[in-house]
Amino acid sequence: MRITIPVAKVLAALLAEPDAERYGLDLMRMTGLPSGTLYPVLHRLRAAGWLTADWEAIDPVEAGRPARRYYRLTAEGVAEARTALADLRAAIPDGRPSWGGTTPSGAPAW
């Protein structure tokens, strides 16, 4: 799988708590990615077998909101994500992106 910056952001967010289930809005907040970028990444990760997706078992009328789709890394996904992010970090001199982007805190922008 090709690890783009959006893919790296999603993997890092999911690896923060590998056993936690995350829904789309939660991941958008964690990564700063818009839905038009996030959902294609999630689709690619699912197709690669790195991610599972299950609908929440609620009554939308009773809950007053639509059911959420929860995403979680598979065991293979955890291992592959850790390897991919480690390889990405190793390829970046001094731990900074070669394109020079950083967050306001000075952390690498990925």
Side-chain angles (χ1 to χ4, degrees):
M1 166 173 285
R2 196 177 107 191
I3 306 299
T4 62
I5 292 170
V7 170
K9 285 182 175 186
V10 172
L11 292 176
L14 291 167
L15 282 174
E17 292 182 65
D19 294 328
E21 293 183 324
R22 304 283 184 191
Y23 62 100
L25 184 59
D26 190 26
L27 288 168
M28 284 189 288
R29 289 178 181 149
M30 293 175 76
T31 63
L33 297 173
S35 61
T37 301
L38 175 69
Y39 287 103
V41 168
L42 294 174
H43 179 75
R44 287 178 50 210
L45 293 172
R46 283 190 64 218
W50 292 18
L51 198 65
T52 62
D54 296 301
W55 286 102
E56 179 180 35
I58 64 162
D59 177 0
V61 174
E62 187 176 305
R65 63 171 174 79
R68 295 175 177 155
R69 191 164 199 182
Y70 284 97
Y71 300 91
R72 185 171 46 161
L73 288 169
T74 62
E76 175 189 2
V78 169
E80 293 290 344
R82 285 182 177 150
T83 300
L85 291 181
D87 291 347
L88 183 61
R89 286 184 185 106
I92 299 170
D94 299 328
R96 288 186 297 203
S98 60
W99 58 89
T102 59
T103 64
S105 68
W110 46 358

